[in-house]
């Protein structure tokens, strides 16, 4: 099996590559070659008996995607993309990378005339308020950001290209990934990770929204698990509706904090400082809360079942 | 008001232009200029005190759309597109015209930095089976054709470009337009019009599906009415969800035939010959049946209330 990972230098990309290197196989078949692509150089990994290559370039370039696809990867993890805040701030960049880049990749596959499995990371950002208490699998997508719009268009292309037999696509709508490792960022969602990560690292964290806010989370480890499951799943089992809401843990911010206390103690939790920020809350208020994700669960996609587990994954992976 | 109509030489386009010429105004304001565009020359019309122009060219060309938009039309009716069967048969053409053409037009508007009303004809082809008995306004779109995929992407762009203030878009999802004037075509949906039109013209018509098949129809006159209403509606009334399911008459094929008999008599109806065609039925079986269209009705979009009226519209407009 030849595997291609786009966006391989990103947070999820790096963890996926580490998992692939550890497993040495995908969908029960050994990895013979692993191609890593990003706009910056991804870290090279070694896999026994496998050739690994790192490519640096612009995903929204026909030359780049043609070259990557000409190597005929059997499984393509298409993670490359501009994040939500950047796509909103820079209209042209977001459409170029998230829409044109995805379409160019899919078209290169179409014209290469073979039928690889393509795993596309979509997002719950395809949904827009107002929401029911629990969002069903067939909830209608009405994105409220350019990022969500671009992901929705990628999903639509994936479905049509799959229906026409050009590729064998699976789109996975990721919930918020928590706890993100690394430094705080300026994303409006940053505090969901920050209130766990900073206290565990002995630093103060700001909580800008009420403790009653509900949101759905999965760990980076689960996100990688979703990708691996999507790479191996039988497309006939999934049927024609190829874009799936991933499962996660739906909790209030208060419940996040209680989980942190159970895992790490009250001293850690005391580092969280409440500082209501109406600007942040006005954004977060329009975000999805809980997801049913019944189809994904039935298809074997697994997330944590409590926020305690999510905290523990961070401790194990980042602080061990 | 300067008005631009793309796809002005098509069936709906011609009827829209005739209505504009008759009204001499849109949204209560007189038409000062009317620009008609299509891949073939649309018929020139004359409107008192208005300049009318005909442009021939490819909508999926930046030069064409830049030229059309540089004239700064206040209202743009974007009807241009490749039809469903053609988009399925010719992948490249469908994506080029229906996706690239629409995106180029929207981008030309964005870069022209003004905020015209854009009325985009989408389609119920954005929906895919299975369906509930009555399809609600917030039913999730899962197109089962490339045409439906391209329309869904156009809708997503329209919403995002409107949200960002680049234009003031309204997308209208048309039901099947019936009775289509003219010659029979090879579209799988052709019989819905054919079983009314051919008998009214003294010709035999083939009915390839069972009389129990349910489908939603609106007349070409109603389709034009939807466009005019969409041109004039207050965007704030519509809110952020800019793509609307249009109303129509949901009837069985048997009820269509009963309406024809009431309007035109049993001799006319006797020209319908049942000749079951499994290939046609297998397509039609996956098509939407009835629509709630509550939002559109509340927003003043009006269709016929019985299939008798739809038959009478055809008689008045085409046979008078």
């Amino acid at each position: 099996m030849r595997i291609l990972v786009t966006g391989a230098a990103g947070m999820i990309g790096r963890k996926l590559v580490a998992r692939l290197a550890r497993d040495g196989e995908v969908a029960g078949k050994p990895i013979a070659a692993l191609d890593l692509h990003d706009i910056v150089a991804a870290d090279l990994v070694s896999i026994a008996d496998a050739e690994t290559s790192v490519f640096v370039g612009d995903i929204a370039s026909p030359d780049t995607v043609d070259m990557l696809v000409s190597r005929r990867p059997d499984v393509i993890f298409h993670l490359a993309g501009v994040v939500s805040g950047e796509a909103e701030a820079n209209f042209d960049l977001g459409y170029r990378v998230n829409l044109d880049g995805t379409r160019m990749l899919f078209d290169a596959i179409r014209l290469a005339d073979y039928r690889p499995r393509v795993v596309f990371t979509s997002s719950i950002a395809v949904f827009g308020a107002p929401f029911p208490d629990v969002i069903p699998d067939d909830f209608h997508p009405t994105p409220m950001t350019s990022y969500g719009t671009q992901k929705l268009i990628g999903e639509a292309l994936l479905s049509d290209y799959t229906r026409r037999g050009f590729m064998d696509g699976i789109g996975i709508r990721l919930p918020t990934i928590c706890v993100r490792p690394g430094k705080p960022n300026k994303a409006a969602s940053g505090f969901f990770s920050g209130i766990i990560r900073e206290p565990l690292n002995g630093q103060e964290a700001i909580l800008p929204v009420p403790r009653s806010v509900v949101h759905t989370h999965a760990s980076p480890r689960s996100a990688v698990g979703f990708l691996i499951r999507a790479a191996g799943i039988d497309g006939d089992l999934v049927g024609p509706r190829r874009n799936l809401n991933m499962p996660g843990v739906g909790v209030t911010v208060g419940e996040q904090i209680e989980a942190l206390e159970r895992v790490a103690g009250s001293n850690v939790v005391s580092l969280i400082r409440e500082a209501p920020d109406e600007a942040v809350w006005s954004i977060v208020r329009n975000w999805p809360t809980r997801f049913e994700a019944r189809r994904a669960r039935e298809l074997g996609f697994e997330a944590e079942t409590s926020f305690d587990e999510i905290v523990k994954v961070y401790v194990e992976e980042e602080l061990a």
Side-chain angles (χ1 to χ4, degrees), chain A:
Chain A
M1 297 268 273
R2 179 180 289 274
I3 312 293
L4 166 63
V5 180
T6 75
M11 189 270 283
I12 304 284
R14 281 181 283 119
K15 289 185 180 283
L16 171 64
V17 170
R19 166 84 185 262
L20 293 172
R22 205 162 57 239
D23 291 356
E25 59 165 47
V26 169
K29 292 180 194 151
I31 297 172
L34 178 61
D35 292 345
L36 306 180
H37 176 268
D38 209 316
I39 190 82
V40 297
D43 293 336
L44 199 59
V45 293
S46 67
I47 305 180
D49 302 323
E51 161 210 329
T52 61
S53 313
V54 171
F55 299 94
V56 177
D58 180 1
I59 193 75
S61 142
D63 289 348
T64 302
V65 295
D66 286 351
M67 181 274 296
L68 292 170
V69 170
S70 71
R71 298 163 67 84
R72 298 180 87 78
D74 302 287
V75 174
I76 299 174
F77 293 100
H78 179 42
L79 316 183
V82 162
V83 299
S84 177
E86 199 168 4
E88 201 64 19
N90 190 336
F91 181 90
D92 288 304
L93 181 70
Y95 271 90
R96 203 173 67 77
V97 174
N98 293 349
L99 171 48
D100 294 327
T102 296
R103 188 172 171 208
M104 279 177 201
L105 176 65
F106 291 180
D107 268 331
I109 295 165
R110 172 171 71 90
L111 296 170
D113 199 20
Y114 78 120
R115 199 163 169 278
R117 166 57 49 89
V118 178
V119 179
F120 171 60
T121 46
S122 186
S123 164
I124 55 167
V126 299
F127 298 114
F131 295 107
D133 285 345
V134 177
I135 296 166
D137 283 337
D138 59 1
F139 193 66
H140 64 149
T142 59
M144 295 176 84
T145 58
S146 292
Y147 176 81
T149 302
Q150 293 146 12
K151 288 295 186 189
L152 180 61
I153 293 173
E155 290 187 0
L157 293 172
L158 177 140
S159 288
D160 198 42
Y161 282 48
T162 297
R163 184 185 63 80
R164 293 189 76 129
F166 303 143
M167 62 189 211
D168 183 12
I170 304 285
I172 61 174
R173 292 175 181 152
L174 296 177
T176 293
I177 302 304
C178 188
V179 179
R180 289 186 68 89
K183 300 226 162 101
N185 64 22
K186 295 195 175 192
S189 62
F191 72 88
F192 286 122
S193 283
I195 58 170
I196 310 300
R197 182 186 58 228
E198 268 65 280
L200 284 170
N201 286 285
Q203 290 158 17
E204 186 184 81
I206 301 294
L207 174 59
V209 304
R211 288 178 182 235
S212 57
V213 164
V214 177
H215 202 68
T216 292
H217 309 267
S219 72
R221 184 188 289 174
S222 287
V224 169
F226 300 155
L227 290 162
I228 296 291
R229 175 65 187 139
I233 201 167
D234 178 354
D236 291 339
L237 263 184
V238 181
R241 295 189 177 171
R242 289 302 183 103
N243 297 291
L244 301 166
N245 291 351
M246 291 293 104
V249 179
V251 283
T252 64
V253 169
E255 288 165 341
Q256 282 187 265
I257 295 170
E258 289 164 22
L260 177 63
E261 183 161 5
R262 280 190 295 272
V263 174
S266 57
N267 280 350
V268 165
V269 164
S270 69
L271 288 165
I272 299 170
R273 188 163 63 80
E274 300 194 27
D277 182 331
E278 182 57 38
V280 174
W281 195 23
S282 70
I283 297 171
V284 172
R285 197 183 275 138
N286 284 324
W287 285 355
T289 51
R290 288 188 167 85
F291 287 89
E292 187 176 23
R294 185 191 295 187
R295 282 190 70 210
R297 289 181 208 275
E298 286 174 358
L299 289 165
F301 291 88
E302 289 176 16
E304 289 78 14
T305 55
S306 75
F307 201 82
D308 297 49
E309 286 178 65
I310 288 180
V311 177
K312 287 174 189 164
V313 168
Y314 176 78
V315 172
E316 283 172 33
E317 294 206 342
E318 308 295 335
L319 304 179

